[in-house]
Amino acid sequence: MRSAAVGASLLGVGVLAVLTGVLSLGEVGGVADRVWPVLLFVVMITVVTELASEAGLFTVVASRLTRWGLDRAWVLWLLVVALATTSTVFLSLDTTAVLLTPVVVLLSRQVGLPPLPFALTTVWLANTGSLLLPVSNLTNLLAEGRLDLGSPVDFARLMLGPAVAAVVVPSLVLFLVFRRDLLRRYQPREVAHPDDPVLLAASATVVVLLLPALVSGVAVWIPATVAAVVLTGLFAVRRRSVLRFRLVPWELVLLASGLFLVIEAGHALGLTGLLASVAGTGESTVALLQLSGVGTLGANLVNNLPAYLALEPVAESPLRLAALLIGVNAGALLTPWASLATLLWHARLEALDVSISWTRYALLGLLVVPPTVVTAVLLLSAG
């Protein structure tokens, strides 16, 4: 509800900007034309992943990992790293932070392992692992329209080096910090199977077919909408009670809409010139590090989405946009509000009675953000 209140307030500021002439109706229409496919995708992919979770898909996948972990915590953890990365890349960071976190926490408890290393793995990789594809993060979807590279494959080609660094570096830091917890053995246990095998099989099929569709070059909202409609129809027949208004991330839509209008008004008032003096120019390694650093700072001061929107006009080339994405995505690990996914993750942890103070979270973030961002930018520059 806090996000909804903030979003409504921002929309109010946007309306005021129109009434006072700061923004014209034509500019608002231009923002809407750019935003609606992105927000529609966010809504539909959220419905798909929520329904797949209700069908037990993530629980079944995670339970399989305990069998493949060879009774060794570090092997199980590496499998969770792979699952969290895959979930983030194809289904977005919010899916990993919100839906995968409770699964891996409960799984670690069932096999007698401490949950915190697994919980931190999901939230770190939800943020840092969201560089490879447009669908991985809302900021990427916005950048894709400006990059005009032709297809998600071209986007992935540009971001491949940074994306690998943004998964490997945080994983190494996590292993070093929690090595005592991970260099242990565990006793695998059977996990209860979902009640409706038909819904489980259908959800698995839809998700498996959706993944290649999201990188096919078709506008991503189209396959996401088809998948959401199919699963909604199946649940309407077999488990109607699940179909509630909460499936739609309306708070996020409201917040994002308000942010788009406010940042657009800020640019109309001269925000671009101010940020250009801070973010620098050019595509040298130093210039890219400077822009990425400003993006990291902005994400942790306010939030990664407004930080991206504010700095987007000064990231006027593919390399500079990529460096900005590194900063606002992989660098958003220091403050709780740096990304909405982190706030949602922490709420899930509290519900599961797993505690980590924001002070400790920030200190751990200080260990991982500098090497991750710098390594990713160096690989971007070298590529």
Side-chain angles (χ1 to χ4, degrees):
M1 294 303 294
R2 291 179 182 176
S3 299
V6 173
S9 300
L10 292 173
L11 281 175
V13 173
V15 171
L16 182 62
V18 173
L19 294 176
T20 56
V22 174
L23 284 179
S24 68
L25 290 177
E27 289 171 322
V28 173
V31 172
D33 285 341
R34 183 185 181 196
V35 167
W36 76 259
V38 173
L39 294 184
L40 180 58
F41 167 77
V42 170
V43 169
M44 293 305 170
I45 200 66
T46 300
V47 171
V48 169
T49 53
E50 288 279 2
L51 292 178
S53 178
E54 289 286 349
L57 179 61
F58 295 114
T59 302
V60 168
V61 171
S63 69
R64 293 289 189 273
L65 301 186
T66 63
R67 300 181 186 178
W68 301 336
L70 305 176
D71 303 345
R72 289 169 172 79
W74 69 271
V75 178
L76 178 61
W77 172 75
L78 283 177
L79 292 171
V80 169
V81 168
L83 177 60
T85 302
T86 303
S87 170
T88 300
V89 167
F90 289 99
L91 300 176
S92 86
L93 75 166
D94 292 329
T95 296
T96 301
V98 175
L99 300 180
L100 197 58
T101 295
V103 171
V104 300
V105 167
L106 295 174
L107 192 67
S108 63
R109 283 174 168 168
Q110 286 173 345
V111 297
L113 295 173
L116 190 55
F118 295 89
L120 276 172
T121 298
T122 58
V123 73
W124 277 13
L125 292 181
N127 288 287
T128 66
S130 63
L131 288 175
L132 186 62
L133 293 177
V135 297
S136 307
N137 199 318
L138 181 56
T139 55
N140 297 6
L141 285 169
L142 294 170
E144 182 189 27
R146 286 182 64 89
L147 286 168
D148 194 25
L149 292 174
S151 74
V153 174
D154 295 320
F155 185 97
R157 189 176 294 114
L158 172 66
M159 300 301 296
L160 180 59
V164 171
V167 171
V168 172
V169 174
S171 298
L172 286 174
V173 173
L174 277 166
F175 181 79
L176 291 174
V177 171
F178 294 102
R179 59 190 180 279
R180 292 183 180 179
D181 294 324
L182 297 175
L183 294 175
R184 296 169 49 181
R185 299 182 72 91
Y186 66 88
Q187 187 65 39
R189 300 178 186 177
E190 287 295 325
V191 179
H193 293 286
D195 297 329
D196 193 328
V198 174
L199 281 179
L200 174 62
S203 298
T205 301
V206 168
V207 171
V208 168
L209 292 176
L210 178 61
L211 299 187
L214 293 176
V215 296
S216 65
V218 176
V220 292
W221 66 267
I222 297 175
T225 300
V226 172
V229 169
V230 169
L231 286 183
T232 300
L234 288 170
F235 272 83
V237 173
R238 301 189 66 87
R239 198 186 299 172
R240 186 183 296 271
S241 61
V242 171
L243 301 178
R244 298 189 292 272
F245 185 61
R246 68 170 182 80
L247 289 175
V248 178
W250 61 273
E251 294 181 22
L252 177 59
V253 171
L254 194 61
L255 178 63
S257 300
L259 283 171
F260 282 121
L261 281 179
V262 169
I263 296 298
E264 187 69 18
H267 287 308
L269 292 171
L271 179 63
T272 302
L274 175 64
L275 292 176
S277 64
V278 178
T281 58
E283 296 184 351
S284 68
T285 300
V286 173
L288 296 178
L289 285 170
Q290 180 181 356
L291 176 57
S292 191
V294 173
T296 298
L297 181 63
N300 287 287
L301 284 177
V302 285
N303 178 266
N304 64 342
L305 182 56
Y308 171 80
L309 291 171
L311 289 162
E312 185 187 64
V314 301
E316 65 282 350
S317 70
L319 275 181
R320 286 183 62 79
L321 269 174
L324 175 57
L325 289 176
I326 290 170
V328 299
N329 292 356
L333 294 178
L334 298 175
T335 58
W337 54 81
S339 80
L340 180 61
T342 302
L343 292 172
L344 297 172
W345 166 82
H346 194 260
R348 291 297 173 103
L349 285 193
E350 288 184 328
L352 294 165
D353 198 26
V354 177
S355 62
I356 178 172
S357 70
W358 285 122
T359 300
R360 186 183 182 192
Y361 180 85
L363 290 174
L364 289 171
L366 285 172
L367 290 177
V368 70
V369 167
T372 300
V373 170
V374 170
T375 303
V377 172
L378 290 177
L379 288 177
L380 173 69
S381 181

